[in-house]
Amino acid sequence: MDGPPHPLAAHGPFGGEDILGLQDLDPAMNLKMHLVNDAIDEIGWTPYHTKLFFLNGFGYAVDSLTLLLQSVIASPAFREFGKGGYEKGMTVSTYVGMLVGALFWGLSADVVGRRYAFNVSLLVCSISAIVAGGMPNWPSLGFFIAMVGFGGGGNLIMDTTVFLEYLPSNKQWVLTLMAAWWGFGQAITGFIAWGFLVPDRWNCKPDELCTMENNMGWRYVMFTSGALVFVMSVLRVTVIRLRETPKYLLGLGDDEKVVQTFQFLASKYNRPCSITVAKLGACGPAAGAHSKRRLSLNETMVHLRGLFSTKRIAISTLMIWLSWAMIGLAYPLFYVFLPSYLASRGASLKVSTLDQWRNYALTNISSIFGPVLAGWMCNLPLLGRRYTMLIGAFTTAGFFFAYTSVRTAAQDVGFSCAIGFSLNVYYGTLYAYTPEVLPSAHRATGNGVAVACNRVMGILSAVIATVANTSTSAPIYICGGLLVAMGLVSAVFPFEPYGKRSS
C-alpha cells in the first residue's frame, strides 16, 4: 500500500511545488523553504517589489554600461597616451575586474549577507568610474577600469539574487523581463558617447597631436557615467532600504528574523501573513548552511559543495556554467572577427562618426525588447525557460550566419539590431534561469562562478583578437556553432522553473 504523498510534491495553497523540494537535501530545510515560499506568495506583489524592480534594474543597466564603457573610451584614450602599452588592455582590465568582482561579491553575499554587497557594489563602481576619467596614463586608467568592472560585475549577481528571493512564484517571469534594463544601460552608454565623442572641440583629430586639453571627450564620458551610477547607488540606500532576504536568513537558521521580515511587509502593505516561528520550528532542526567560522576557507568550500549536493543539482550547475562560458566566448569573438571578414568580402561599411554612434544607440535600443519578449515566452507552458533559451539561441545563430552576407552600412545596422534583439531573448532568460535553479544558501556563489566563467572567456576573446588572423571565416562559423550548442544545452537542462518556485 502506498504511503502518504511527500508534503513537497503537492502544490502548496499559494503556488506550485518548489524546484529543489524533492532533491532530498535537508528535509527540515525543504519544509521550512516551502513555508517561506507560501508566505511570499501569500503576501504577493507589493510596492516594495516595484521598487526592487527599478533599483535592481539599475544594476543590470550599470553592468552593461560598464562593460561597454571600456570599448567606447579605449581608442581615444590610447591615442592620447601615445599608443604605448597593450592595445586591448582596457578590455582585459574590465573582464579581470568583473571576474574578480563576480567571485568576491557572489561569495560574500552567501557568507555575510545580500544587503551589504547590494548596497556597496554600485558605490565602488561609481567612484572608480569618476576617478578613471582623471587618469594621466594608460596603466592607471586600466587599474580603475578594472575597479569599475569589480563593482559593476559583482552587482549583477546581487540584482537577480535579491529580487528573486522576494518574488512571488506567479511573478518569477519578471526576473527575465528585468534583463531589459541591460539594453537600457547599453543605450545610455551609446547616447553619452554620441554626445561627447562626436564634437570636434572635445576630440582630437587623427592628424594632430593628441593631448588632454584637446581630447576631453572620453573623460567626460567617464565623469558622466560615474555620476549617473553614483545617483543610482544613493537611490538604493535611500529609497529601498533593503532588508536581508528571508531565504538568506533561513540559511542562517534565524527563524525569528524570517518571520519579522514577513510581518514587516505584511503590516506595511496591509497583506495577510500566516507564517510563525512555531510553524517553522515544527519542521524540525535544519542543518546549517555555513561553517563554524564564517570567514574561512571551509566556509567557501561549504558553498561550493552545496552546488553539487545531489547528482541532478551537480549536472544542472555544470551545464549552467558551461552555457555562461560559451556565450562569453561566442558573442565578443564574433564582433572581433566580423569587421575584417566583411572587409575581405568587399563590404563597404564606412560611416561618419555621428552615424557610427547613432547606429550604436539604435542597436542597443533594439536589445531592450528581447527580454520583454522573453518574459512573455518563458511564462508559456509550452515553452518555459528552457525552450525560450533554445529559440533565442537558434535565432541568434541564424542572424550570425546571415550577417556574413552584409555588404552595406544599412544592412550592417539592420542585422546588428536583429542580433541585439534575439541574443537578449537567450541572455535575458539565462540570467534569470541561473539563480532560479540554484539552492538559496549557495545561490550567489553559484551565480558568481557562472558570471566568472563568462568573464574568463571574455578575456580569452581579447587575447585571440590580438594574435589571431581576423580575415578567416572559420571563427565566424565557430561562434554561430557555439550558439547552436547553447540552445541544445538549454533544452536539456535538468530543471524547468515554469510553474515551480525557487528554493
Side-chain angles (χ1 to χ4, degrees):
M1 183 176 176
D2 293 333
H6 194 286
L8 302 182
H11 290 280
F14 304 103
E17 67 183 73
D18 304 326
I19 294 173
L20 305 182
L22 302 179
Q23 288 303 299
D24 298 321
L25 303 172
D26 175 359
M29 178 60 78
N30 285 342
L31 288 169
K32 288 185 176 186
M33 185 64 69
H34 199 68
L35 290 175
V36 164
N37 278 333
D38 280 350
I40 292 173
D41 286 345
E42 186 179 17
I43 291 172
W45 183 277
T46 68
Y48 186 77
H49 295 88
T50 304
K51 290 179 184 178
L52 278 177
F53 177 78
F54 282 95
L55 296 177
N56 287 37
F58 288 168
Y60 261 67
V62 167
D63 184 79
S64 61
L65 183 148
T66 56
L67 189 61
L68 288 180
L69 270 182
Q70 57 83 20
S71 64
V72 165
I73 63 99
S75 293
F78 192 62
R79 192 163 61 246
E80 177 185 322
F81 295 140
K83 299 184 178 180
Y86 184 51
E87 189 174 359
K88 299 290 183 183
M90 292 307 103
T91 301
V92 175
S93 292
T94 300
Y95 276 112
V96 168
M98 287 185 155
L99 167 62
V100 177
L103 294 173
F104 175 83
W105 295 110
L107 182 60
S108 65
D110 279 340
V111 174
V112 300
R114 300 359 181 175
R115 188 161 58 99
Y116 299 107
F118 182 78
N119 289 334
V120 173
S121 55
L122 266 192
L123 186 62
V124 170
C125 180
S126 63
I127 293 173
S128 299
I130 294 170
V131 173
M135 287 301 98
N137 54 53
W138 193 240
S140 61
L141 177 62
F143 173 78
F144 282 101
I145 287 293
M147 289 301 297
V148 171
F150 175 74
N155 176 76
L156 180 66
I157 293 146
M158 301 315 307
D159 299 327
T160 52
T161 299
V162 168
F163 193 44
L164 176 65
E165 293 187 355
Y166 273 108
L167 268 183
S169 60
N170 66 344
K171 293 291 191 295
Q172 279 181 204
W173 61 270
V174 180
L175 195 63
T176 300
L177 174 65
M178 195 169 73
W181 285 95
W182 174 271
F184 186 67
Q186 290 176 318
I188 290 174
T189 308
F191 283 119
I192 292 174
W194 194 355
F196 290 118
L197 296 182
V198 173
D200 291 338
R201 66 183 181 276
W202 294 326
N203 299 278
C204 62
K205 295 180 176 63
D207 57 348
E208 68 178 327
L209 180 65
C210 210
T211 65
M212 181 175 177
E213 287 70 28
N214 66 359
N215 196 45
M216 286 295 292
W218 71 267
R219 296 180 186 275
Y220 290 148
V221 169
M222 295 303 298
F223 294 148
T224 305
S225 301
L228 180 63
V229 177
F230 182 76
V231 170
M232 291 178 181
S233 67
V234 171
L235 288 175
R236 276 197 166 182
V237 179
T238 56
V239 174
I240 193 68
R241 295 178 184 174
L242 182 74
R243 299 174 71 93
E244 192 55 82
T245 68
K247 293 185 178 181
Y248 175 77
L249 294 171
L250 194 64
L252 285 181
D254 198 336
D255 293 354
E256 189 171 332
K257 281 191 177 180
V258 171
V259 174
Q260 285 175 1
T261 299
F262 285 126
Q263 288 176 342
F264 165 79
L265 289 173
S267 173
K268 185 171 183 178
Y269 300 110
N270 194 27
R271 301 296 173 86
C273 179
S274 58
I275 192 171
T276 64
V277 175
K279 286 182 179 180
L280 289 173
C283 297
H290 299 272
S291 66
K292 292 181 179 178
R293 294 179 59 197
R294 297 270 289 280
L295 300 178
S296 65
L297 178 61
N298 190 44
E299 173 78 2
T300 303
M301 297 310 298
V302 166
H303 293 299
L304 288 174
R305 283 196 297 267
L307 300 168
F308 299 88
S309 51
T310 71
K311 182 178 179 180
R312 197 176 179 199
I313 290 176
I315 292 171
S316 174
T317 298
L318 291 174
M319 290 177 73
I320 288 170
W321 290 353
L322 174 64
S323 297
W324 278 93
M326 287 194 292
I327 191 64
L329 181 63
Y331 185 61
L333 199 59
F334 178 80
Y335 283 104
V336 161
F337 282 89
L338 188 66
S340 296
Y341 173 82
L342 294 179
S344 70
R345 296 323 190 257
S348 177
L349 305 179
K350 291 182 180 179
V351 294
S352 67
T353 305
L354 178 65
D355 288 344
Q356 176 189 346
W357 292 113
R358 180 207 63 190
N359 295 348
Y360 195 81
L362 287 174
T363 301
N364 291 322
I365 289 172
S366 300
S367 66
I368 295 173
F369 301 100
V372 176
L373 177 62
W376 174 74
M377 289 171 62
C378 76
N379 206 40
L380 296 175
L382 187 64
L383 297 178
R385 276 53 158 178
R386 293 184 293 190
Y387 291 114
T388 298
M389 284 186 276
L390 172 70
I391 292 170
F394 275 26
T395 305
T396 308
F399 283 125
F400 265 29
F401 292 132
Y403 206 152
T404 59
S405 65
V406 164
R407 296 294 178 266
T408 67
Q411 292 172 343
D412 172 52
V413 71
F415 274 104
S416 293
C417 290
I419 287 175
F421 177 87
S422 60
L423 180 71
N424 277 280
V425 171
Y426 173 84
Y427 228 154
T429 311
L430 180 64
Y431 266 113
Y433 178 88
T434 299
E436 275 189 298
V437 299
L438 293 171
S440 64
H442 319 294
R443 177 172 287 131
T445 300
N447 206 355
V449 174
V451 176
C453 290
N454 183 276
R455 305 318 185 195
V456 168
M457 291 297 123
I459 296 169
L460 184 60
S461 71
V463 175
I464 292 173
T466 304
V467 301
N469 174 15
T470 58
S471 63
T472 175
S473 62
I476 303 291
Y477 292 99
I478 289 173
C479 292
L482 282 171
L483 273 161
V484 172
M486 280 181 267
L488 294 174
V489 168
S490 64
V492 294
F493 277 147
F495 299 107
E496 171 51 64
Y498 173 79
K500 300 183 177 69
R501 309 185 296 187
S502 69
S503 295

